[in-house]
Amino acid sequence: MIPFSPPRIDQKIIDEVTDTLKSGWWTTGPKTKLFEQRLTDYCGNRKTFCVSSATAGLELMLRWFGVKEGDEVIIPAYTYTATANVVVHCGATPVMADVNEDFNISLAEIQRLITNKTKVIIPVDMAGMPCDYDEIMHLAKDSSSLFSPSTEVQKKLGRVLILSDSAHSIGGEYKGQKTGSLTDVSVFSFHAVKNLATAEGGGIALNLPKQFDCEELYKYLNTFSLHGQSKDALAKTQKGGWRYDVIEPGYKCNMTDIQASIGLVELERYESDTLKRRKGIFDRYSAGFSQYHWAQLPVAITNDKTSSYHIYMLRLNGFKEEQRDEVIQGIFDKDVSVNVHFQPLPLLTAYKSRGYKMEDYPKAFDNYQREITLPMYYTLTNEQVDEVIAAVVESVEKVLNNS
Ligand SMILES: *Cc1c(COP(=O)(O)O)cnc(C)c1O
């Protein structure tokens, strides 16, 4: 069986984790701080804060911005449920937008949906392709007269916050700049199946405008992610440093040094090794499928964008959901694991029951019903890529011949 997305566990990772275990410092400490610094150096943003997951990072930033009941947050209908769940956690309403051919949120849809209740827009860089950030930032600024701030932070920004769900897109580029530096705040995921994994983990890349002191915000997030406690565990180890205060009832979602040690190894080899291999696999798939009229190949490079090659999203021209499902069954029967990214949120019970209707998002549904995600990870060999291609071709042609 060719697995879908196993983690890369080699001696380098084991050595670095062992080093952390033996150091006696397991929770947030020197390695987390170093990992944050290296991420900032890599992405070119102002400051980075690491947390236990992208989900926690997104929620922390919504809470920081003061998103609450009665507020609206615009998100794409086509995304993983985390993007919407964090909005619901804050008591606010996710307002879903349809997407483009490239799976990313439609600018025209944002324009149609933005109101004086909109506090945040969460674009999602699907598969690692950055959204149209220049246009989205222009829209945010142009709509500032509509914005009605209700907290000090909101007044200070003076417009909707653009909070990028960059769970897929670390290393992706837009107009020569890396994700993390493209908008106000971008949140990366370091979950085991993501491009750069720390088992579980997330990174908040801060790149807010000048009126925000990112160093100060970093300190605030440090406290806010540790129960609002005025001193973190490391500071408390200082002589006589036992006494602390709790400023406000905060959350508990800090990154550990064990996670950060994996991240340090992965980040060091990310550009030269990981991304190179992922691109190699992506291009081999595309070359393999290019001769088939039924294959719609994903796009990873445009005039102003380069993908981080997170997932290979193949679409089958003219297919309906049931036919696609049949193809997937056929591929599994050939011992190849595939997936679908994603079921649009209105298909899921939690959101269907909140009144979202799939027929309101025709593009999202059409992208979904024709989509199959193929395995793509560092240790996948060229021979395995060819096996996957053969399994897909055979399965598709069988379904086409039977219909
Ligand atoms: C994986 C993922 C997340 C959540 O990441 P975690 O680190 O697991 O919280 C959020 N958004 C998208 C689009 C994802 O794919």
Side-chain angles (χ1 to χ4, degrees):
M1 189 82 185
I2 296 180
F4 183 70
S5 185
R8 180 180 178 191
I9 310 166
D10 58 8
Q11 200 55 46
K12 266 195 148 153
I13 300 269
I14 292 167
D15 288 346
E16 192 66 30
V17 170
T18 305
D19 179 69
T20 305
L21 291 174
K22 287 184 174 166
S23 77
W25 194 266
W26 291 2
T27 183
T28 315
K31 291 207 182 174
T32 304
K33 304 293 151 192
L34 185 60
F35 183 44
E36 289 170 341
Q37 184 55 53
R38 296 261 160 93
L39 284 166
T40 304
D41 294 343
Y42 179 64
C43 299
N45 59 305
R46 293 183 62 196
K47 188 86 185 171
T48 309
F49 182 71
C50 281
V51 282
S52 56
S53 69
T55 306
L58 288 166
E59 182 164 340
L60 213 55
M61 295 316 294
L62 290 177
R63 302 259 182 204
W64 165 75
F65 201 60
V67 172
K68 57 173 188 348
E69 206 180 326
D71 292 339
E72 295 179 351
V73 176
I74 299 177
I75 64 168
Y78 202 105
T79 181
Y80 181 57
T81 189
T83 321
N85 287 4
V86 292
V87 177
V88 174
H89 294 172
C90 293
T93 306
V95 173
M96 295 186 194
D98 207 354
V99 295
N100 301 317
E101 188 66 20
D102 68 357
F103 298 98
N104 282 349
I105 193 164
S106 151
L107 199 73
E109 278 281 282
I110 299 177
Q111 235 144 7
R112 183 173 74 79
L113 296 167
I114 197 165
T115 71
N116 60 0
K117 290 183 182 162
T118 311
K119 288 289 161 65
V120 180
I121 299 170
I122 312 184
V124 180
D125 299 339
M126 275 299 298
M129 271 307 251
C131 293
D132 299 314
Y133 285 106
D134 277 2
E135 287 81 356
I136 292 172
M137 289 309 283
H138 276 139
L139 198 156
K141 287 170 190 164
D142 288 349
S143 64
S144 61
S145 57
L146 204 61
F147 186 66
S148 68
S150 54
T151 67
E152 284 309 310
V153 175
Q154 291 174 12
K155 269 179 213 149
K156 199 166 171 179
L157 187 61
R159 57 165 171 79
V160 292
L161 175 74
I162 307 300
L163 174 61
S164 166
D165 180 337
S166 302
H168 297 181
S169 65
I170 186 162
E173 288 186 17
Y174 175 71
K175 300 190 177 172
Q177 280 183 290
K178 288 210 151 56
T179 56
S181 67
L182 302 175
T183 188
D184 298 326
V185 181
S186 309
V187 179
F188 301 124
S189 172
F190 307 131
H191 178 272
V193 302
K194 299 300 191 328
N195 274 23
L196 197 164
T198 63
E200 294 279 357
I204 303 172
L206 301 171
N207 206 46
L208 287 154
K210 286 188 294 292
Q211 66 267 35
F212 288 90
D213 182 341
C214 286
E215 294 293 333
E216 203 172 287
L217 177 53
Y218 176 91
K219 281 185 203 145
Y220 174 79
L221 292 173
N222 204 41
T223 304
F224 200 39
S225 64
L226 273 170
H227 287 299
Q229 190 175 299
S230 62
K231 281 181 190 167
D232 63 18
L234 200 61
K236 282 181 67 193
T237 61
Q238 303 304 309
K239 257 187 192 170
W242 62 272
R243 194 187 291 277
Y244 60 86
D245 189 16
V246 171
I247 315 296
E248 61 177 311
Y251 297 88
K252 184 61 169 64
C253 54
N254 52 308
M255 176 176 274
T256 69
D257 268 20
I258 299 173
Q259 292 166 304
S261 47
I262 306 174
L264 282 167
V265 174
E266 288 289 10
L267 185 56
E268 196 182 355
R269 63 194 184 188
Y270 187 61
E271 187 88 19
S272 60
D273 194 21
T274 309
L275 279 186
K276 222 167 119 190
R277 180 62 197 143
R278 296 189 87 98
K279 178 173 171 21
I281 295 169
F282 189 103
D283 291 346
R284 195 175 181 91
Y285 275 136
S286 289
F289 291 121
S290 62
Q291 58 175 304
Y292 298 101
H293 64 91
W294 46 258
Q296 182 182 353
L297 309 181
V299 175
I301 298 179
T302 67
N303 279 342
D304 50 17
K305 296 177 187 176
T306 309
S307 177
S308 67
Y309 301 95
H310 175 51
I311 45 180
Y312 193 90
M313 302 176 83
L314 179 70
R315 273 171 287 182
L316 305 175
N317 288 318
F319 273 57
K320 295 279 173 241
E321 190 178 9
E322 312 80 65
Q323 293 173 294
R324 186 275 315 268
D325 292 353
E326 237 182 283
V327 171
I328 290 180
Q329 190 53 53
I331 298 171
F332 269 103
D333 289 345
K334 293 181 172 58
D335 278 344
V336 172
S337 303
V338 292
N339 232 309
V340 174
H341 288 84
F342 294 97
Q343 297 179 78
L345 301 174
L347 289 180
L348 307 175
T349 302
Y351 291 97
K352 214 188 305 184
S353 68
R354 283 177 160 76
Y356 299 90
K357 295 190 179 65
M358 195 63 257
E359 55 268 33
D360 293 338
Y361 311 93
K363 192 70 204 170
F365 185 75
D366 186 56
N367 280 340
Y368 152 76
Q369 74 168 343
R370 304 188 292 113
E371 201 270 346
I372 302 176
T373 312
L374 307 183
M376 193 159 76
Y377 45 90
Y378 187 84
T379 51
L380 191 72
T381 64
N382 283 347
E383 293 67 40
Q384 288 177 312
V385 172
D386 295 343
E387 266 179 66
V388 175
I389 295 171
V392 172
V393 169
E394 279 175 46
S395 185
V396 170
E397 307 228 302
K398 192 171 150 205
V399 170
L400 283 175
N401 289 335
N402 289 345
S403 60

